[in-house]
Amino acid sequence: MKNLSFKVSLGGIIAALSVVFMFMTALLPIFVYVIPALCGAMLLVIAVEISSSWAYLTYAVVSFLSLLFVPDKEAVLLYVLLMGFYPILKLRLDRIKPAVFSFLVKLIVYNVLIVAYYNLTIRIISSSTLQDDMGDFGRYGVYIFWGLTNIVFVIYDVAIKHIMTLYLEWIRKKILTFSVKKGDGKNGK
């Protein structure tokens, strides 16, 4: 079991990096969607190294600080309502058998949350701007957008799986191996 100082330190580092990254959503328009996804993926480190409950606690801290300080509220809503906690939730949803049922549950969760995100974005941020953007697609614009976001969600779900594998199989082994070799006292130094 990890000690409390390790848990607080790792959670603090991930939270600080996430809030700094969330500030960067103002730099490029695509960052509104990419940065919340990246910040959510960083929570996987906490879920693996400590526990899912600590990852959810870090998610709550990042959500609160982002709501207070990050100027791009659309990115904040995307993080709070979906991208922030989904990678942690995915760890649990992937255990559902059969895999088809797990996939259907993920799609249901995503669609409920994306509808909430869309409605909050229209009501809170800028209903006229978002509706004007959809006007180019005609009256079916919302449905086309919804379908496209489902495709992006499936890609994100697969990407989270690969990020987790990359962390477990490569990054974690390199970092932990380096720290053990350096600090074990067996290398003659």
Side-chain angles (χ1 to χ4, degrees):
M1 177 157 191
K2 307 286 182 179
N3 62 21
L4 184 60
S5 62
F6 174 79
K7 293 176 181 180
V8 172
S9 298
L10 184 61
I13 290 168
I14 298 293
L17 283 172
S18 294
V19 173
V20 167
F21 287 155
M22 289 296 288
F23 269 103
M24 294 184 348
T25 56
L27 296 177
L28 289 173
I30 191 71
F31 282 1
V32 170
Y33 306 104
V34 173
I35 297 292
L38 172 68
C39 293
M42 289 191 316
L43 293 173
L44 289 172
V45 174
I46 296 173
V48 168
E49 297 300 332
I50 302 171
S51 70
S52 292
S53 60
W54 274 87
Y56 281 121
L57 179 63
T58 305
Y59 154 76
V61 167
V62 172
S63 297
F64 178 72
L65 292 174
S66 295
L67 283 168
L68 288 177
F69 299 116
V70 173
D72 191 336
K73 297 305 179 198
E74 185 177 359
V76 172
L77 281 177
L78 190 58
Y79 179 81
V80 170
L81 291 176
L82 182 64
M83 300 294 190
F85 70 89
Y86 178 74
I88 309 164
L89 181 63
K90 176 183 170 33
L91 296 175
R92 182 164 296 214
L93 294 178
D94 282 343
R95 294 183 205 150
I96 298 173
K97 301 294 179 203
V100 172
F101 187 63
S102 171
F103 180 73
L104 289 174
V105 171
K106 290 177 196 177
L107 277 177
I108 290 168
V109 167
Y110 169 75
N111 281 291
V112 166
L113 294 173
I114 202 67
V115 167
Y117 165 76
Y118 177 76
N119 285 323
L120 281 171
T121 301
I122 285 180
R123 285 176 177 61
I124 294 174
I125 296 174
S126 61
S127 62
S128 61
T129 304
L130 195 58
Q131 288 174 343
D132 289 343
D133 291 344
M134 287 295 169
D136 295 340
F137 288 112
R139 67 182 195 187
Y140 301 108
V142 172
Y143 302 110
I144 293 169
F145 180 73
W146 193 2
L148 291 173
T149 63
N150 274 277
I151 293 169
V152 170
F153 170 73
V154 171
I155 294 168
Y156 179 63
D157 186 64
V158 171
I160 290 294
K161 177 183 173 187
H162 290 298
I163 288 169
M164 183 68 143
T165 303
L166 175 71
Y167 176 72
L168 291 172
E169 298 297 323
W170 193 78
I171 297 171
R172 187 175 189 219
K173 286 182 180 179
K174 296 288 183 184
I175 292 172
L176 292 178
T177 303
F178 174 74
S179 65
V180 169
K181 285 182 182 177
K182 185 175 181 181
D184 67 359
K186 294 179 184 177
N187 58 6
K189 293 183 181 180

